[in-house]
PDB file of all heavy atoms in Angstrom:
ATOM      1  N   ILE A 128     244.496 -39.925 -81.312  1.00  0.00           N
ATOM      2  CA  ILE A 128     244.749 -40.525 -79.993  1.00  0.00           C
ATOM      3  C   ILE A 128     243.829 -41.721 -79.780  1.00  0.00           C
ATOM      4  O   ILE A 128     244.279 -42.792 -79.350  1.00  0.00           O
ATOM      5  CB  ILE A 128     244.567 -39.470 -78.875  1.00  0.00           C
ATOM      6  CG1 ILE A 128     245.694 -38.438 -78.941  1.00  0.00           C
ATOM      7  CG2 ILE A 128     244.513 -40.139 -77.492  1.00  0.00           C
ATOM      8  CD1 ILE A 128     245.472 -37.211 -78.076  1.00  0.00           C
ATOM      9  N   GLU A 129     242.552 -41.545 -80.092  1.00  0.00           N
ATOM     10  CA  GLU A 129     241.588 -42.635 -79.888  1.00  0.00           C
ATOM     11  C   GLU A 129     241.867 -43.826 -80.798  1.00  0.00           C
ATOM     12  O   GLU A 129     241.807 -44.976 -80.355  1.00  0.00           O
ATOM     13  CB  GLU A 129     240.154 -42.125 -80.094  1.00  0.00           C
ATOM     14  CG  GLU A 129     239.674 -41.195 -78.994  1.00  0.00           C
ATOM     15  CD  GLU A 129     239.771 -41.809 -77.606  1.00  0.00           C
ATOM     16  OE1 GLU A 129     239.340 -42.962 -77.420  1.00  0.00           O
ATOM     17  OE2 GLU A 129     240.305 -41.137 -76.708  1.00  0.00           O
ATOM     18  N   ILE A 130     242.176 -43.585 -82.062  1.00  0.00           N
ATOM     19  CA  ILE A 130     242.436 -44.708 -82.981  1.00  0.00           C
ATOM     20  C   ILE A 130     243.752 -45.384 -82.604  1.00  0.00           C
ATOM     21  O   ILE A 130     243.886 -46.608 -82.717  1.00  0.00           O
ATOM     22  CB  ILE A 130     242.396 -44.279 -84.472  1.00  0.00           C
ATOM     23  CG1 ILE A 130     242.224 -45.499 -85.397  1.00  0.00           C
ATOM     24  CG2 ILE A 130     243.617 -43.509 -84.882  1.00  0.00           C
ATOM     25  CD1 ILE A 130     240.884 -46.125 -85.381  1.00  0.00           C
ATOM     26  N   ASP A 131     244.705 -44.604 -82.101  1.00  0.00           N
ATOM     27  CA  ASP A 131     245.966 -45.185 -81.635  1.00  0.00           C
ATOM     28  C   ASP A 131     245.729 -46.167 -80.484  1.00  0.00           C
ATOM     29  O   ASP A 131     246.325 -47.246 -80.450  1.00  0.00           O
ATOM     30  CB  ASP A 131     246.907 -44.075 -81.154  1.00  0.00           C
ATOM     31  CG  ASP A 131     248.234 -44.075 -81.865  1.00  0.00           C
ATOM     32  OD1 ASP A 131     248.475 -44.978 -82.692  1.00  0.00           O
ATOM     33  OD2 ASP A 131     249.035 -43.170 -81.594  1.00  0.00           O
ATOM     34  N   LYS A 132     244.884 -45.780 -79.552  1.00  0.00           N
ATOM     35  CA  LYS A 132     244.552 -46.673 -78.430  1.00  0.00           C
ATOM     36  C   LYS A 132     243.965 -47.983 -78.947  1.00  0.00           C
ATOM     37  O   LYS A 132     244.328 -49.061 -78.484  1.00  0.00           O
ATOM     38  CB  LYS A 132     243.548 -46.011 -77.484  1.00  0.00           C
ATOM     39  CG  LYS A 132     244.105 -44.886 -76.653  1.00  0.00           C
ATOM     40  CD  LYS A 132     242.990 -44.322 -75.785  1.00  0.00           C
ATOM     41  CE  LYS A 132     243.356 -43.036 -75.121  1.00  0.00           C
ATOM     42  NZ  LYS A 132     242.214 -42.463 -74.386  1.00  0.00           N
ATOM     43  N   LYS A 133     243.047 -47.877 -79.911  1.00  0.00           N
ATOM     44  CA  LYS A 133     242.405 -49.074 -80.473  1.00  0.00           C
ATOM     45  C   LYS A 133     243.431 -49.933 -81.213  1.00  0.00           C
ATOM     46  O   LYS A 133     243.434 -51.152 -81.070  1.00  0.00           O
ATOM     47  CB  LYS A 133     241.267 -48.692 -81.419  1.00  0.00           C
ATOM     48  CG  LYS A 133     240.132 -47.948 -80.771  1.00  0.00           C
ATOM     49  CD  LYS A 133     239.212 -48.890 -80.065  1.00  0.00           C
ATOM     50  CE  LYS A 133     237.995 -48.124 -79.562  1.00  0.00           C
ATOM     51  NZ  LYS A 133     237.319 -48.813 -78.491  1.00  0.00           N
ATOM     52  N   ILE A 134     244.277 -49.302 -82.007  1.00  0.00           N
ATOM     53  CA  ILE A 134     245.294 -50.052 -82.753  1.00  0.00           C
ATOM     54  C   ILE A 134     246.212 -50.787 -81.780  1.00  0.00           C
ATOM     55  O   ILE A 134     246.493 -51.979 -81.945  1.00  0.00           O
ATOM     56  CB  ILE A 134     246.095 -49.123 -83.693  1.00  0.00           C
ATOM     57  CG1 ILE A 134     245.205 -48.640 -84.852  1.00  0.00           C
ATOM     58  CG2 ILE A 134     247.339 -49.835 -84.228  1.00  0.00           C
ATOM     59  CD1 ILE A 134     245.817 -47.526 -85.689  1.00  0.00           C
ATOM     60  N   ASN A 135     246.673 -50.081 -80.753  1.00  0.00           N
ATOM     61  CA  ASN A 135     247.568 -50.698 -79.778  1.00  0.00           C
ATOM     62  C   ASN A 135     246.897 -51.846 -79.027  1.00  0.00           C
ATOM     63  O   ASN A 135     247.546 -52.840 -78.700  1.00  0.00           O
ATOM     64  CB  ASN A 135     248.095 -49.659 -78.788  1.00  0.00           C
ATOM     65  CG  ASN A 135     249.058 -48.685 -79.434  1.00  0.00           C
ATOM     66  OD1 ASN A 135     249.667 -48.971 -80.460  1.00  0.00           O
ATOM     67  ND2 ASN A 135     249.179 -47.509 -78.851  1.00  0.00           N
ATOM     68  N   SER A 136     245.618 -51.725 -78.762  1.00  0.00           N
ATOM     69  CA  SER A 136     244.897 -52.768 -78.040  1.00  0.00           C
ATOM     70  C   SER A 136     244.598 -53.993 -78.893  1.00  0.00           C
ATOM     71  O   SER A 136     244.608 -55.111 -78.395  1.00  0.00           O
ATOM     72  CB  SER A 136     243.563 -52.222 -77.509  1.00  0.00           C
ATOM     73  OG  SER A 136     243.790 -51.241 -76.542  1.00  0.00           O
ATOM     74  N   TYR A 137     244.294 -53.778 -80.183  1.00  0.00           N
ATOM     75  CA  TYR A 137     243.747 -54.859 -81.005  1.00  0.00           C
ATOM     76  C   TYR A 137     244.615 -55.306 -82.175  1.00  0.00           C
ATOM     77  O   TYR A 137     244.245 -56.219 -82.894  1.00  0.00           O
ATOM     78  CB  TYR A 137     242.390 -54.437 -81.583  1.00  0.00           C
ATOM     79  CG  TYR A 137     241.348 -54.094 -80.561  1.00  0.00           C
ATOM     80  CD1 TYR A 137     240.489 -53.019 -80.755  1.00  0.00           C
ATOM     81  CD2 TYR A 137     241.198 -54.839 -79.410  1.00  0.00           C
ATOM     82  CE1 TYR A 137     239.520 -52.706 -79.832  1.00  0.00           C
ATOM     83  CE2 TYR A 137     240.227 -54.525 -78.472  1.00  0.00           C
ATOM     84  CZ  TYR A 137     239.397 -53.461 -78.692  1.00  0.00           C
ATOM     85  OH  TYR A 137     238.435 -53.162 -77.781  1.00  0.00           O
ATOM     86  N   GLU A 138     245.752 -54.681 -82.364  1.00  0.00           N
ATOM     87  CA  GLU A 138     246.536 -54.926 -83.581  1.00  0.00           C
ATOM     88  C   GLU A 138     246.805 -56.413 -83.835  1.00  0.00           C
ATOM     89  O   GLU A 138     246.725 -56.876 -84.965  1.00  0.00           O
ATOM     90  CB  GLU A 138     247.852 -54.156 -83.535  1.00  0.00           C
ATOM     91  CG  GLU A 138     248.624 -54.253 -84.819  1.00  0.00           C
ATOM     92  CD  GLU A 138     249.748 -53.236 -84.912  1.00  0.00           C
ATOM     93  OE1 GLU A 138     250.145 -52.662 -83.874  1.00  0.00           O
ATOM     94  OE2 GLU A 138     250.213 -53.011 -86.033  1.00  0.00           O
ATOM     95  N   LYS A 139     247.114 -57.159 -82.813  1.00  0.00           N
ATOM     96  CA  LYS A 139     247.466 -58.573 -82.998  1.00  0.00           C
ATOM     97  C   LYS A 139     246.233 -59.476 -83.094  1.00  0.00           C
ATOM     98  O   LYS A 139     246.333 -60.624 -83.504  1.00  0.00           O
ATOM     99  CB  LYS A 139     248.371 -59.031 -81.861  1.00  0.00           C
ATOM    100  CG  LYS A 139     249.747 -58.368 -81.903  1.00  0.00           C
ATOM    101  CD  LYS A 139     250.597 -58.777 -80.733  1.00  0.00           C
ATOM    102  CE  LYS A 139     251.971 -58.199 -80.680  1.00  0.00           C
ATOM    103  NZ  LYS A 139     252.273 -56.984 -81.321  1.00  0.00           N
ATOM    104  N   GLN A 140     245.062 -58.946 -82.742  1.00  0.00           N
ATOM    105  CA  GLN A 140     243.861 -59.774 -82.677  1.00  0.00           C
ATOM    106  C   GLN A 140     242.921 -59.613 -83.865  1.00  0.00           C
ATOM    107  O   GLN A 140     242.098 -60.470 -84.099  1.00  0.00           O
ATOM    108  CB  GLN A 140     243.081 -59.451 -81.394  1.00  0.00           C
ATOM    109  CG  GLN A 140     243.877 -59.695 -80.144  1.00  0.00           C
ATOM    110  CD  GLN A 140     243.488 -58.744 -79.032  1.00  0.00           C
ATOM    111  OE1 GLN A 140     243.117 -57.602 -79.290  1.00  0.00           O
ATOM    112  NE2 GLN A 140     243.577 -59.209 -77.808  1.00  0.00           N
ATOM    113  N   ILE A 141     243.026 -58.507 -84.587  1.00  0.00           N
ATOM    114  CA  ILE A 141     242.011 -58.264 -85.612  1.00  0.00           C
ATOM    115  C   ILE A 141     242.539 -58.510 -87.021  1.00  0.00           C
ATOM    116  O   ILE A 141     243.739 -58.542 -87.261  1.00  0.00           O
ATOM    117  CB  ILE A 141     241.383 -56.855 -85.497  1.00  0.00           C
ATOM    118  CG1 ILE A 141     242.390 -55.749 -85.758  1.00  0.00           C
ATOM    119  CG2 ILE A 141     240.730 -56.661 -84.148  1.00  0.00           C
ATOM    120  CD1 ILE A 141     241.771 -54.360 -85.762  1.00  0.00           C
ATOM    121  N   ASP A 142     241.595 -58.643 -87.917  1.00  0.00           N
ATOM    122  CA  ASP A 142     241.858 -58.904 -89.334  1.00  0.00           C
ATOM    123  C   ASP A 142     242.801 -57.833 -89.898  1.00  0.00           C
ATOM    124  O   ASP A 142     242.659 -56.645 -89.603  1.00  0.00           O
ATOM    125  CB  ASP A 142     240.500 -58.875 -90.054  1.00  0.00           C
ATOM    126  CG  ASP A 142     240.615 -59.206 -91.514  1.00  0.00           C
ATOM    127  OD1 ASP A 142     240.990 -58.307 -92.290  1.00  0.00           O
ATOM    128  OD2 ASP A 142     240.306 -60.361 -91.876  1.00  0.00           O
ATOM    129  N   LYS A 143     243.759 -58.257 -90.714  1.00  0.00           N
ATOM    130  CA  LYS A 143     244.752 -57.333 -91.282  1.00  0.00           C
ATOM    131  C   LYS A 143     244.106 -56.223 -92.121  1.00  0.00           C
ATOM    132  O   LYS A 143     244.571 -55.085 -92.122  1.00  0.00           O
ATOM    133  CB  LYS A 143     245.757 -58.099 -92.131  1.00  0.00           C
ATOM    134  CG  LYS A 143     246.732 -58.918 -91.310  1.00  0.00           C
ATOM    135  CD  LYS A 143     247.926 -59.314 -92.145  1.00  0.00           C
ATOM    136  CE  LYS A 143     248.888 -60.226 -91.446  1.00  0.00           C
ATOM    137  NZ  LYS A 143     249.302 -59.880 -90.124  1.00  0.00           N
ATOM    138  N   LYS A 144     243.033 -56.551 -92.817  1.00  0.00           N
ATOM    139  CA  LYS A 144     242.353 -55.537 -93.635  1.00  0.00           C
ATOM    140  C   LYS A 144     241.795 -54.424 -92.739  1.00  0.00           C
ATOM    141  O   LYS A 144     241.871 -53.240 -93.075  1.00  0.00           O
ATOM    142  CB  LYS A 144     241.227 -56.194 -94.439  1.00  0.00           C
ATOM    143  CG  LYS A 144     240.539 -55.254 -95.384  1.00  0.00           C
ATOM    144  CD  LYS A 144     239.552 -55.972 -96.271  1.00  0.00           C
ATOM    145  CE  LYS A 144     238.985 -54.997 -97.285  1.00  0.00           C
ATOM    146  NZ  LYS A 144     238.153 -55.615 -98.273  1.00  0.00           N
ATOM    147  N   ILE A 145     241.269 -54.802 -91.592  1.00  0.00           N
ATOM    148  CA  ILE A 145     240.697 -53.817 -90.663  1.00  0.00           C
ATOM    149  C   ILE A 145     241.794 -53.002 -89.999  1.00  0.00           C
ATOM    150  O   ILE A 145     241.673 -51.779 -89.866  1.00  0.00           O
ATOM    151  CB  ILE A 145     239.782 -54.511 -89.632  1.00  0.00           C
ATOM    152  CG1 ILE A 145     238.582 -55.138 -90.355  1.00  0.00           C
ATOM    153  CG2 ILE A 145     239.322 -53.521 -88.567  1.00  0.00           C
ATOM    154  CD1 ILE A 145     237.722 -56.033 -89.507  1.00  0.00           C
ATOM    155  N   ILE A 146     242.885 -53.646 -89.613  1.00  0.00           N
ATOM    156  CA  ILE A 146     243.981 -52.891 -88.995  1.00  0.00           C
ATOM    157  C   ILE A 146     244.594 -51.938 -90.004  1.00  0.00           C
ATOM    158  O   ILE A 146     244.959 -50.808 -89.666  1.00  0.00           O
ATOM    159  CB  ILE A 146     245.040 -53.819 -88.334  1.00  0.00           C
ATOM    160  CG1 ILE A 146     245.853 -53.052 -87.284  1.00  0.00           C
ATOM    161  CG2 ILE A 146     245.970 -54.434 -89.319  1.00  0.00           C
ATOM    162  CD1 ILE A 146     245.116 -52.647 -86.069  1.00  0.00           C
ATOM    163  N   ASN A 147     244.672 -52.343 -91.263  1.00  0.00           N
ATOM    164  CA  ASN A 147     245.182 -51.438 -92.303  1.00  0.00           C
ATOM    165  C   ASN A 147     244.251 -50.250 -92.504  1.00  0.00           C
ATOM    166  O   ASN A 147     244.717 -49.119 -92.700  1.00  0.00           O
ATOM    167  CB  ASN A 147     245.401 -52.186 -93.614  1.00  0.00           C
ATOM    168  CG  ASN A 147     246.631 -53.062 -93.575  1.00  0.00           C
ATOM    169  OD1 ASN A 147     247.558 -52.822 -92.799  1.00  0.00           O
ATOM    170  ND2 ASN A 147     246.653 -54.093 -94.392  1.00  0.00           N
ATOM    171  N   LEU A 148     242.952 -50.499 -92.461  1.00  0.00           N
ATOM    172  CA  LEU A 148     241.984 -49.403 -92.559  1.00  0.00           C
ATOM    173  C   LEU A 148     242.200 -48.423 -91.403  1.00  0.00           C
ATOM    174  O   LEU A 148     242.235 -47.209 -91.605  1.00  0.00           O
ATOM    175  CB  LEU A 148     240.546 -49.941 -92.550  1.00  0.00           C
ATOM    176  CG  LEU A 148     239.444 -48.900 -92.617  1.00  0.00           C
ATOM    177  CD1 LEU A 148     239.431 -48.193 -93.975  1.00  0.00           C
ATOM    178  CD2 LEU A 148     238.085 -49.546 -92.349  1.00  0.00           C
ATOM    179  N   ALA A 149     242.373 -48.955 -90.194  1.00  0.00           N
ATOM    180  CA  ALA A 149     242.591 -48.111 -89.009  1.00  0.00           C
ATOM    181  C   ALA A 149     243.885 -47.300 -89.152  1.00  0.00           C
ATOM    182  O   ALA A 149     243.915 -46.099 -88.845  1.00  0.00           O
ATOM    183  CB  ALA A 149     242.627 -48.964 -87.751  1.00  0.00           C
ATOM    184  N   LYS A 150     244.941 -47.945 -89.611  1.00  0.00           N
ATOM    185  CA  LYS A 150     246.221 -47.233 -89.770  1.00  0.00           C
ATOM    186  C   LYS A 150     246.134 -46.167 -90.863  1.00  0.00           C
ATOM    187  O   LYS A 150     246.699 -45.078 -90.717  1.00  0.00           O
ATOM    188  CB  LYS A 150     247.334 -48.228 -90.073  1.00  0.00           C
ATOM    189  CG  LYS A 150     247.728 -49.047 -88.849  1.00  0.00           C
ATOM    190  CD  LYS A 150     248.817 -50.049 -89.173  1.00  0.00           C
ATOM    191  CE  LYS A 150     249.244 -50.799 -87.926  1.00  0.00           C
ATOM    192  NZ  LYS A 150     250.306 -51.784 -88.203  1.00  0.00           N
ATOM    193  N   ASN A 151     245.417 -46.471 -91.941  1.00  0.00           N
ATOM    194  CA  ASN A 151     245.228 -45.473 -93.005  1.00  0.00           C
ATOM    195  C   ASN A 151     244.391 -44.299 -92.511  1.00  0.00           C
ATOM    196  O   ASN A 151     244.647 -43.144 -92.876  1.00  0.00           O
ATOM    197  CB  ASN A 151     244.593 -46.110 -94.237  1.00  0.00           C
ATOM    198  CG  ASN A 151     245.550 -47.027 -94.969  1.00  0.00           C
ATOM    199  OD1 ASN A 151     246.758 -46.890 -94.861  1.00  0.00           O
ATOM    200  ND2 ASN A 151     245.009 -47.982 -95.698  1.00  0.00           N
TER     201      ASN A 151
END
Side-chain angles (χ1 to χ4, degrees):
I128 290 169
E129 289 304 313
I130 198 72
D131 237 356
K132 288 179 191 175
K133 297 280 187 201
I134 290 169
N135 290 337
S136 294
Y137 301 140
E138 186 166 17
K139 292 177 179 25
Q140 300 149 328
I141 65 175
D142 183 280
K143 287 197 185 312
K144 184 173 185 173
I145 296 171
I146 201 69
N147 285 336
L148 179 68
K150 287 179 177 180
N151 289 336

